[in-house]
Amino acid sequence: MNNRKQGTKAVWGGQSELFYHGSTEVPIVNSVTFGYDNVDDWFDVASGKKEGHIYSRSTNPTVAVFEEKVRVLENAEAATSFSTGMAAISNTLSSLLSRGDRVVSIKDTYGGTSVLFLEFLPKDGIEVSLCETTNHEEIEAEMKKGCKLLYLETPTNPTLKILDLKRLIKSAHESGALVVVDNTLATPINQNPLELGADLVLHSATKYLGGHSDAMGGVVCGNKDLIQQIFHYREINGASLHANTAYLLLRGMQTLELRVLRHNENALKLAEHLQKHKKIEQVFYPGLESHPGHKIASGQMTGFGGVLAFSVKGDFDNVKVFLNSLELAHLAASLGSVSTLIGPPKVTSHAETTVEERKQLGIPENLIRCALGIENIEDIIADFDQALSKL
Ligand SMILES: *Cc1c(COP(=O)(O)O)cnc(C)c1O
């Protein structure tokens, strides 16, 4: 399967053999426990001598197909899954880091990740250094002071900043650090950090992998030894993915490539349209040539993703009028759904930050983040235009 194209992998990854009774589709195995005809077989599976399942907190046949599909899409040796994206992130960090270790990352990580860095890891005696997101020199200098793990995200949320993965991965390895990349916004269709040298790539499967805003999950991929270490922590920590959810994620993932190509196309068209609109102040989208990270993004991504941000002219009242006038977008958090989701970071992802902190992060008060769905873009543009005309 490794030499197939991404769209083929999305359909066939983990599903090239028939299942129970010749099912072509993945059965949902809701059984908590798995029985054996004799004690010897049971012990062989339990001790890892034979393949099989013992108890669904550790492994489950439906969940294993989900892990296999993501593994294939990221061209990884191994993958393990979690109940949410945050579980993937926190379990990965907790299983790899110990008291006294130092982590280098960026200021613009996902909100929940940033709370781990600022609040929880320091409590466990782990030192965290968060750098200005696109300041590659600062990140490299921080790593030289000692670094167990470099944690990256690109594009970032909500202002779509771009990091040069190849460069930072190389510097991290020179400093002896492991590199973990959150690839949620890009998806395995647009970007494959493992191919650029990263040690681990993780996803909130809640977003584009599942793709329909009806299931939560997380996954991390990388080499067998690292994944075994993370898996072992997760099976004890207990943040396991459920078979029913794994099924929803698998069903969504079969159309991953189709959807992501459409998300990419819709976001680029909307970004180009908004950039020319007289009521728009600024558009943040790495697919635009005017974006400071466009060149790097073009070198490491095959598409620029479905998330963009923009600021409307005027104050926050204009943001409210615009958002309240939209007909074809949910005013809601999250991203990666078939329907367009939109909202201001000021009251969603960055509600806990002050005006000054948002300014430092380069988040204008009148910023709006939009996660394009897969609708016909003509309708979305017409809807945006009628809403902007109310300002
Ligand atoms: C949503 C998100 C997460 C967290 O995922 P959950 O499934 O909500 O726990 C992590 N990273 C990024 C980039 C996200 O967008």
Side-chain angles (χ1 to χ4, degrees):
M1 194 56 62
N2 274 7
N3 56 355
R4 305 289 186 189
K5 299 232 183 286
Q6 294 298 75
T8 309
K9 288 179 182 176
V11 174
W12 287 99
Q15 295 184 242
S16 55
E17 276 165 38
L18 295 173
F19 298 97
Y20 190 60
H21 283 301
S23 317
T24 57
E25 302 317 308
V26 184
I28 305 173
V29 181
N30 272 330
S31 193
V32 163
T33 189
F34 300 87
Y36 290 86
D37 288 333
N38 64 70
V39 173
D40 287 337
D41 283 350
W42 183 11
F43 280 18
D44 282 348
V45 173
S47 61
K49 276 193 212 134
K50 265 197 202 153
E51 295 229 338
H53 303 280
I54 298 288
Y55 187 63
S56 282
R57 168 153 46 72
S58 298
T59 68
N60 169 282
T62 312
V63 171
V65 180
F66 165 75
E67 291 167 343
E68 176 62 9
K69 198 183 279 297
V70 184
R71 182 194 74 74
V72 164
L73 280 161
E74 288 288 11
N75 262 332
E77 247 177 60
T80 191
S81 61
F82 304 85
S83 50
T84 64
M86 278 315 301
I89 297 165
S90 58
N91 281 253
T92 297
L93 293 172
S94 297
S95 61
L96 299 177
L97 297 169
S98 327
R99 182 166 292 276
D101 283 341
R102 192 159 185 275
V103 177
V104 174
S105 189
I106 52 172
K107 287 190 177 161
D108 286 65
T109 51
Y110 176 74
T113 309
S114 169
V115 174
L116 285 178
F117 286 149
L118 296 170
E119 188 177 338
F120 292 107
L121 292 185
K123 268 211 292 216
D124 290 338
I126 293 155
E127 193 189 328
V128 181
S129 167
L130 300 183
C131 303
E132 282 309 319
T133 298
T134 55
N135 189 341
H136 291 71
E137 290 76 18
E138 185 190 353
I139 299 170
E140 286 167 338
E142 282 301 308
M143 287 194 290
K144 287 211 179 94
K145 295 182 194 162
C147 177
K148 174 77 191 284
L149 190 148
L150 173 67
Y151 186 95
L152 300 174
E153 243 179 75
T154 177
T156 63
N157 192 357
T159 51
L160 292 305
K161 291 176 188 158
I162 298 290
L163 289 167
D164 186 338
L165 285 176
K166 231 182 197 163
R167 169 177 170 178
L168 292 175
I169 290 165
K170 187 167 171 277
S171 317
H173 287 161
E174 283 165 10
S175 300
L178 282 174
V179 184
V180 181
V181 180
D182 181 337
N183 205 28
T184 302
L185 255 74
T187 82
I189 304 301
N190 289 327
Q191 179 170 276
N192 298 106
L194 295 181
E195 287 179 8
L196 300 171
D199 299 286
L200 292 164
V201 58
L202 52 83
H203 288 274
S204 164
T206 312
K207 313 294 171 55
Y208 291 102
L209 298 186
H212 295 72
S213 273
D214 58 2
M216 302 198 84
V219 61
V220 56
C221 311
N223 78 41
K224 280 206 172 87
D225 290 345
L226 286 174
I227 295 299
Q228 177 56 34
Q229 203 178 326
I230 299 165
F231 160 76
H232 179 56
Y233 187 88
R234 188 269 288 158
E235 70 175 336
I236 301 307
N237 175 286
S240 311
L241 184 62
H242 191 275
N244 280 320
T245 315
Y247 179 81
L248 286 173
L249 296 172
L250 274 167
R251 178 159 170 149
M253 278 177 68
Q254 293 184 301
T255 56
L256 180 68
E257 194 204 40
L258 275 180
R259 285 186 285 105
V260 169
L261 295 179
R262 178 71 157 238
H263 286 296
N264 289 345
E265 188 186 321
N266 280 357
L268 182 60
K269 283 187 178 155
L270 183 65
E272 283 170 346
H273 179 77
L274 292 177
Q275 202 178 29
K276 288 180 295 198
H277 201 288
K278 60 183 189 309
K279 297 206 171 145
I280 299 293
E281 197 170 69
Q282 201 181 351
V283 181
F284 301 79
Y285 186 65
L288 295 174
E289 276 175 32
S290 56
H291 186 285
H294 178 70
K295 228 178 128 199
I296 296 170
S298 304
Q300 66 193 18
M301 304 178 83
T302 54
F304 301 103
V307 180
L308 60 85
F310 57 95
S311 48
V312 293
K313 286 186 184 157
D315 58 16
F316 198 68
D317 282 343
N318 269 356
V319 171
K320 283 199 228 165
V321 172
F322 168 72
L323 291 176
N324 291 338
S325 307
L326 287 170
E327 287 168 13
L328 291 176
H330 289 299
L331 306 189
S334 200
L335 52 102
S337 182
V338 288
S339 51
T340 295
L341 304 175
I342 196 164
K346 176 185 154 116
V347 293
T348 56
S349 61
H350 288 72
E352 274 104 63
T353 53
T354 62
V355 174
E356 196 45 45
E357 284 167 338
R358 287 193 290 274
K359 204 170 168 190
Q360 277 194 1
L361 284 169
I363 301 173
E365 290 303 289
N366 53 356
L367 192 75
I368 296 170
R369 186 190 74 184
C370 178
L372 268 293
I374 60 166
E375 302 92 339
N376 295 101
I377 192 62
E378 296 81 357
D379 288 328
I380 297 293
I381 288 177
D383 191 33
F384 270 56
D385 282 350
Q386 68 76 22
L388 285 168
S389 75
K390 306 255 162 71
L391 307 188

